[in-house]
Amino acid sequence: MPATALYTTLESWAARGLSVVLFDGDCLFCNRWVRLIMERDKEGRFRFAPLQSPLGQSVIQHFFLPGQAPDSVLLVESSYCYSQSDAVLKICRRLGGSWRALSFLWIVPRSIRDVGYRWFEHRRHAFAGKKAADECPLLPEELRSRFLYDKEE
């Protein structure tokens, strides 16, 4: 996606109050996390795209230097990209309910939170496994429409 198209897309998402979660499409834990977000996001404010998709790659190129992008979860909100523990805590805060209780972790310095995040990030495949190439969860149409992949919304 050209930079101008990405800027237009980011502005469109912000204008509609949407947040976009980019995730490792090959990680079963990440896929389960996305499913959990979708189930609790009754207002449909989150959209999703795998990091491996053309859209995911465009966002990575826009916000990160080569080789410095996290490979598990990013949150794009109001033309800003959150990564690591900031992304997870922002998502939890927006989900509300008991998830909002994790907001107390904001008092922990980011450098310390991110050490814990990176520890888990490097072990997530051991906890949940890696998705097989032919494994594709079937989602109802109302949930499938929340995936962006390479389309612009």
Side-chain angles (χ1 to χ4, degrees), residues 62-89:
H62 179 73
F63 287 106
F64 296 93
L65 294 172
Q68 292 188 342
D71 65 356
S72 59
V73 67
L74 299 173
L75 175 67
V76 179
E77 200 171 63
S78 300
S79 299
Y80 188 80
C81 187
Y82 298 93
S83 64
Q84 300 186 43
S85 64
D86 283 352
V88 172
L89 291 178

Tab-separated table of all heavy atoms in Angstrom, residues 62-89:
chain	number	residue	atom	x	y	z
A	62	HIS	N	5.609	1.809	7.957
A	62	HIS	CA	5.305	3.202	8.278
A	62	HIS	C	5.777	3.593	9.684
A	62	HIS	O	6.299	4.685	9.884
A	62	HIS	CB	3.804	3.449	8.136
A	62	HIS	CG	3.383	4.839	8.463
A	62	HIS	ND1	3.645	5.901	7.642
A	62	HIS	CD2	2.736	5.341	9.542
A	62	HIS	CE1	3.167	7.010	8.187
A	62	HIS	NE2	2.604	6.693	9.338
A	63	PHE	N	5.586	2.709	10.647
A	63	PHE	CA	5.828	3.065	12.045
A	63	PHE	C	7.170	2.584	12.621
A	63	PHE	O	7.571	3.055	13.677
A	63	PHE	CB	4.706	2.530	12.940
A	63	PHE	CG	3.416	3.279	12.799
A	63	PHE	CD1	2.340	2.730	12.120
A	63	PHE	CD2	3.270	4.546	13.352
A	63	PHE	CE1	1.146	3.415	12.006
A	63	PHE	CE2	2.084	5.243	13.232
A	63	PHE	CZ	1.019	4.679	12.556
A	64	PHE	N	7.824	1.628	11.973
A	64	PHE	CA	9.032	1.042	12.565
A	64	PHE	C	10.202	1.061	11.597
A	64	PHE	O	10.016	1.003	10.385
A	64	PHE	CB	8.767	-0.411	12.998
A	64	PHE	CG	7.757	-0.534	14.082
A	64	PHE	CD1	6.422	-0.738	13.790
A	64	PHE	CD2	8.132	-0.423	15.412
A	64	PHE	CE1	5.476	-0.844	14.798
A	64	PHE	CE2	7.198	-0.527	16.426
A	64	PHE	CZ	5.867	-0.730	16.120
A	65	LEU	N	11.398	1.088	12.157
A	65	LEU	CA	12.608	0.920	11.365
A	65	LEU	C	12.736	-0.557	11.006
A	65	LEU	O	12.254	-1.423	11.747
A	65	LEU	CB	13.830	1.372	12.165
A	65	LEU	CG	13.889	2.867	12.490
A	65	LEU	CD1	15.047	3.154	13.445
A	65	LEU	CD2	14.024	3.687	11.217
A	66	PRO	N	13.389	-0.870	9.893
A	66	PRO	CA	13.540	-2.286	9.518
A	66	PRO	C	14.156	-3.108	10.651
A	66	PRO	O	15.111	-2.692	11.289
A	66	PRO	CB	14.486	-2.223	8.305
A	66	PRO	CG	14.271	-0.858	7.732
A	66	PRO	CD	13.990	0.035	8.919
A	67	GLY	N	13.557	-4.265	10.896
A	67	GLY	CA	14.064	-5.170	11.919
A	67	GLY	C	13.696	-4.808	13.346
A	67	GLY	O	14.079	-5.499	14.280
A	68	GLN	N	12.931	-3.740	13.560
A	68	GLN	CA	12.602	-3.335	14.924
A	68	GLN	C	11.137	-3.528	15.291
A	68	GLN	O	10.752	-3.221	16.408
A	68	GLN	CB	12.989	-1.878	15.142
A	68	GLN	CG	14.477	-1.653	15.126
A	68	GLN	CD	14.844	-0.240	15.525
A	68	GLN	OE1	14.019	0.671	15.497
A	68	GLN	NE2	16.087	-0.046	15.913
A	69	ALA	N	10.328	-4.014	14.394
A	69	ALA	CA	8.908	-4.191	14.696
A	69	ALA	C	8.681	-5.432	15.542
A	69	ALA	O	9.249	-6.480	15.260
A	69	ALA	CB	8.106	-4.303	13.405
A	70	PRO	N	7.856	-5.320	16.574
A	70	PRO	CA	7.478	-6.514	17.336
A	70	PRO	C	6.733	-7.470	16.413
A	70	PRO	O	6.131	-7.052	15.425
A	70	PRO	CB	6.546	-5.971	18.415
A	70	PRO	CG	6.767	-4.508	18.441
A	70	PRO	CD	7.248	-4.116	17.088
A	71	ASP	N	6.769	-8.754	16.731
A	71	ASP	CA	6.139	-9.709	15.824
A	71	ASP	C	4.914	-10.394	16.407
A	71	ASP	O	4.538	-11.462	15.978
A	71	ASP	CB	7.153	-10.749	15.352
A	71	ASP	CG	7.669	-11.626	16.469
A	71	ASP	OD1	7.318	-11.394	17.642
A	71	ASP	OD2	8.419	-12.563	16.168
A	72	SER	N	4.276	-9.786	17.408
A	72	SER	CA	3.101	-10.462	17.944
A	72	SER	C	1.835	-9.599	17.974
A	72	SER	O	0.804	-10.037	17.512
A	72	SER	CB	3.373	-11.029	19.331
A	72	SER	OG	3.743	-10.008	20.209
A	73	VAL	N	1.856	-8.379	18.488
A	73	VAL	CA	0.640	-7.561	18.504
A	73	VAL	C	0.999	-6.080	18.434
A	73	VAL	O	1.935	-5.619	19.080
A	73	VAL	CB	-0.249	-7.852	19.742
A	73	VAL	CG1	0.414	-7.424	21.026
A	73	VAL	CG2	-1.607	-7.185	19.618
A	74	LEU	N	0.249	-5.375	17.593
A	74	LEU	CA	0.341	-3.919	17.492
A	74	LEU	C	-1.082	-3.383	17.543
A	74	LEU	O	-2.019	-4.051	17.115
A	74	LEU	CB	0.992	-3.489	16.169
A	74	LEU	CG	2.411	-3.947	15.900
A	74	LEU	CD1	2.826	-3.576	14.471
A	74	LEU	CD2	3.370	-3.337	16.893
A	75	LEU	N	-1.234	-2.172	18.031
A	75	LEU	CA	-2.533	-1.509	18.051
A	75	LEU	C	-2.376	-0.152	17.392
A	75	LEU	O	-1.564	0.662	17.831
A	75	LEU	CB	-3.030	-1.331	19.489
A	75	LEU	CG	-4.329	-0.544	19.650
A	75	LEU	CD1	-5.505	-1.304	19.054
A	75	LEU	CD2	-4.584	-0.217	21.116
A	76	VAL	N	-3.142	0.075	16.320
A	76	VAL	CA	-3.134	1.370	15.644
A	76	VAL	C	-4.417	2.090	16.050
A	76	VAL	O	-5.518	1.576	15.863
A	76	VAL	CB	-3.054	1.226	14.110
A	76	VAL	CG1	-3.067	2.592	13.444
A	76	VAL	CG2	-1.822	0.435	13.709
A	77	GLU	N	-4.214	3.289	16.616
A	77	GLU	CA	-5.331	4.060	17.141
A	77	GLU	C	-5.031	5.533	16.922
A	77	GLU	O	-3.968	6.004	17.325
A	77	GLU	CB	-5.447	3.740	18.632
A	77	GLU	CG	-6.763	4.031	19.249
A	77	GLU	CD	-6.833	3.462	20.663
A	77	GLU	OE1	-6.057	3.886	21.527
A	77	GLU	OE2	-7.672	2.590	20.869
A	78	SER	N	-5.934	6.231	16.269
A	78	SER	CA	-5.760	7.672	16.027
A	78	SER	C	-4.395	7.987	15.415
A	78	SER	O	-3.681	8.864	15.885
A	78	SER	CB	-5.951	8.463	17.323
A	78	SER	OG	-7.237	8.252	17.822
A	79	SER	N	-4.028	7.269	14.386
A	79	SER	CA	-2.779	7.471	13.654
A	79	SER	C	-1.532	7.273	14.524
A	79	SER	O	-0.473	7.815	14.230
A	79	SER	CB	-2.747	8.851	12.988
A	79	SER	OG	-3.808	8.957	12.080
A	80	TYR	N	-1.651	6.524	15.602
A	80	TYR	CA	-0.525	6.203	16.461
A	80	TYR	C	-0.461	4.681	16.601
A	80	TYR	O	-1.501	4.023	16.647
A	80	TYR	CB	-0.684	6.860	17.841
A	80	TYR	CG	0.535	6.720	18.702
A	80	TYR	CD1	1.631	7.561	18.537
A	80	TYR	CD2	0.621	5.717	19.661
A	80	TYR	CE1	2.768	7.417	19.311
A	80	TYR	CE2	1.747	5.564	20.434
A	80	TYR	CZ	2.828	6.420	20.260
A	80	TYR	OH	3.953	6.257	21.018
A	81	CYS	N	0.743	4.150	16.668
A	81	CYS	CA	0.909	2.707	16.790
A	81	CYS	C	1.489	2.356	18.152
A	81	CYS	O	2.568	2.831	18.510
A	81	CYS	CB	1.828	2.203	15.678
A	81	CYS	SG	1.945	0.408	15.624
A	82	TYR	N	0.767	1.544	18.898
A	82	TYR	CA	1.219	1.061	20.196
A	82	TYR	C	1.764	-0.354	20.012
A	82	TYR	O	1.218	-1.133	19.224
A	82	TYR	CB	0.066	1.020	21.205
A	82	TYR	CG	-0.528	2.369	21.470
A	82	TYR	CD1	-1.623	2.826	20.743
A	82	TYR	CD2	0.006	3.202	22.455
A	82	TYR	CE1	-2.173	4.078	20.992
A	82	TYR	CE2	-0.541	4.448	22.700
A	82	TYR	CZ	-1.627	4.882	21.957
A	82	TYR	OH	-2.162	6.113	22.205
A	83	SER	N	2.799	-0.676	20.753
A	83	SER	CA	3.369	-2.015	20.656
A	83	SER	C	3.600	-2.578	22.054
A	83	SER	O	3.485	-1.880	23.059
A	83	SER	CB	4.683	-1.972	19.868
A	83	SER	OG	5.648	-1.199	20.543
A	84	GLN	N	3.898	-3.843	22.071
A	84	GLN	CA	4.230	-4.585	23.276
A	84	GLN	C	3.187	-4.376	24.383
A	84	GLN	O	1.998	-4.478	24.138
A	84	GLN	CB	5.654	-4.253	23.708
A	84	GLN	CG	6.659	-4.629	22.622
A	84	GLN	CD	8.083	-4.461	23.042
A	84	GLN	OE1	8.459	-4.823	24.147
A	84	GLN	NE2	8.905	-3.936	22.153
A	85	SER	N	3.636	-4.108	25.607
A	85	SER	CA	2.699	-4.030	26.735
A	85	SER	C	1.737	-2.855	26.587
A	85	SER	O	0.581	-2.941	27.026
A	85	SER	CB	3.444	-3.941	28.066
A	85	SER	OG	4.196	-2.751	28.156
A	86	ASP	N	2.166	-1.767	25.956
A	86	ASP	CA	1.249	-0.633	25.747
A	86	ASP	C	0.051	-1.060	24.901
A	86	ASP	O	-1.089	-0.686	25.191
A	86	ASP	CB	1.964	0.532	25.060
A	86	ASP	CG	2.853	1.328	25.998
A	86	ASP	OD1	2.813	1.095	27.223
A	86	ASP	OD2	3.601	2.195	25.492
A	87	ALA	N	0.303	-1.846	23.841
A	87	ALA	CA	-0.789	-2.303	22.979
A	87	ALA	C	-1.771	-3.177	23.759
A	87	ALA	O	-2.984	-2.979	23.695
A	87	ALA	CB	-0.231	-3.067	21.784
A	88	VAL	N	-1.243	-4.122	24.520
A	88	VAL	CA	-2.103	-5.037	25.268
A	88	VAL	C	-2.934	-4.284	26.308
A	88	VAL	O	-4.144	-4.500	26.436
A	88	VAL	CB	-1.259	-6.152	25.932
A	88	VAL	CG1	-2.100	-6.993	26.879
A	88	VAL	CG2	-0.615	-7.026	24.866
A	89	LEU	N	-2.302	-3.374	27.042
A	89	LEU	CA	-3.034	-2.634	28.081
A	89	LEU	C	-4.079	-1.704	27.479
A	89	LEU	O	-5.173	-1.547	28.036
A	89	LEU	CB	-2.065	-1.864	28.974
A	89	LEU	CG	-1.191	-2.740	29.876
A	89	LEU	CD1	-0.225	-1.876	30.684
A	89	LEU	CD2	-2.033	-3.602	30.794
